[in-house]
Amino acid sequence: MSVIFVAEIGMNSDGNFDLNYELIRQAKWAGADIAKFQVGWRGGKDEINYMDEDRLLLLQKWCKQFDIEFMVSVITPEAFNLVRKIDFKRYKIASRSVIDNPEMCKRMISEGKEIFISLGMWDSADMPFSGDNIKYLYCKSKYPTRYEDLEDFPETFDNYYGYSDHLMGIEGCLLAIARGAKLIEKHFTLNKTSLVIRDHALSATPEEFHKLTSLGRDLHRLVSSIR
């Protein structure tokens, strides 16, 4: 099985919902397997990341058009009630939700769908939840993360399924693949100079993401062949 690449589009449309169409199209071109959005963070009616059922269905339609999986990070219980109306294959639980909404996380896990969980804000040696459908991601919730923040970067990814990256550049993602990560999540943007959302600076452009997926898949094949 090849490594899975997640283009974290998140809020990088800067509140221009229609721009998500181009972000999805470019994510597919760049080699992403999954286009991911955030639901429940700055999502009020007048906020930059407002989502309702109609918008989710439109995002799902665009993803189907470009043959890329549609996935969401669920931030709040209200967001989970909303996304349950859509036919998702699997979900992402954001680091902040592990701390802020553990009961929601348990509810999501109990439904049995595959769940990716970032541990950027989790500081215990024990994992927060149990379940055969959970796949944990190593993460640092610093925006951007710096190299010196990665003092506990795994020597091997035996205890993690993958890596959710907030470094600038793609080097951390390639290191994670070399050490056995099966999934890479990287923020994705069309405009790194935007100041609307802080995530742009640490995101990959389509060209950078394409380089990541190309090098990453070759590296994964090499690592798999010599293990």
Side-chain angles (χ1 to χ4, degrees):
M1 186 182 84
S2 183
V3 64
I4 299 169
F5 288 95
V6 180
E8 163 66 290
I9 294 172
M11 296 183 288
N12 279 355
S13 65
D14 290 342
N16 177 3
F17 182 80
D18 290 341
L19 185 60
N20 287 312
Y21 179 90
E22 184 63 14
L23 282 157
I24 292 168
R25 188 182 76 85
Q26 294 279 358
K28 176 63 178 181
W29 173 85
D33 302 288
I34 296 172
K36 189 173 75 65
F37 297 83
Q38 298 176 13
V39 183
W41 182 246
R42 298 181 68 178
K45 184 70 174 178
D46 298 319
E47 292 186 285
I48 195 170
N49 194 38
Y50 174 68
M51 289 285 179
D52 59 12
E53 186 175 355
D54 288 340
R55 287 192 166 192
L56 288 173
L57 287 171
L58 192 51
L59 291 174
Q60 182 185 55
K61 176 183 176 182
W62 291 341
C63 286
K64 285 182 178 178
Q65 179 178 341
F66 292 110
D67 191 28
I68 188 170
E69 183 181 336
F70 176 37
M71 191 167 72
V72 293
S73 286
V74 181
I75 311 297
T76 64
E78 295 76 17
F80 184 46
N81 290 336
L82 172 61
V83 302
R84 289 182 74 204
K85 300 175 183 179
I86 311 298
D87 184 24
F88 286 101
K89 177 181 177 180
R90 47 195 169 185
Y91 294 114
K92 168 76 185 294
I93 292 177
S95 297
R96 69 177 63 254
S97 301
V98 174
I99 304 301
D100 295 342
N101 292 295
E103 292 306 314
M104 178 201 74
C105 297
K106 293 176 184 177
R107 180 179 164 213
M108 292 178 66
I109 293 164
S110 71
E111 293 206 342
K113 289 187 177 183
E114 188 173 55
I115 302 277
F116 300 123
I117 301 179
S118 282
L119 295 176
M121 296 182 180
W122 185 253
D123 58 6
S124 172
D126 298 323
M127 297 302 184
F129 311 108
S130 59
D132 294 337
N133 55 326
I134 299 173
K135 290 181 166 57
Y136 285 110
L137 309 182
Y138 175 82
C139 177
K140 288 294 181 181
S141 295
K142 296 185 178 182
Y143 305 84
T145 300
R146 304 185 186 280
Y147 289 142
E148 53 265 33
D149 297 322
L150 301 178
E151 70 284 347
D152 62 345
F153 197 90
E155 289 294 328
T156 69
F157 271 72
D158 295 341
N159 295 324
Y160 298 96
Y161 187 78
Y163 172 53
S164 179
D165 180 72
H166 297 130
L167 285 166
M168 298 176 74
I170 65 172
E171 292 82 1
C173 297
L174 294 174
L175 177 60
I177 294 169
R179 294 186 175 184
K182 300 178 183 66
L183 179 144
I184 296 296
E185 179 180 68
K186 178 72 178 173
H187 285 256
F188 185 77
T189 185
L190 303 180
N191 178 16
K192 280 193 173 188
T193 65
S194 173
L195 300 177
V196 178
I197 298 294
R198 65 180 177 180
D199 294 344
H200 288 285
L202 55 90
S203 299
T205 63
E207 292 76 16
E208 289 170 325
F209 205 96
H210 188 273
K211 184 177 181 180
L212 169 61
T213 60
S214 179
L215 290 173
R217 289 189 171 107
D218 286 345
L219 180 58
H220 178 75
R221 282 192 291 270
L222 175 61
V223 170
S224 299
S225 69
I226 62 178
R227 281 194 166 187

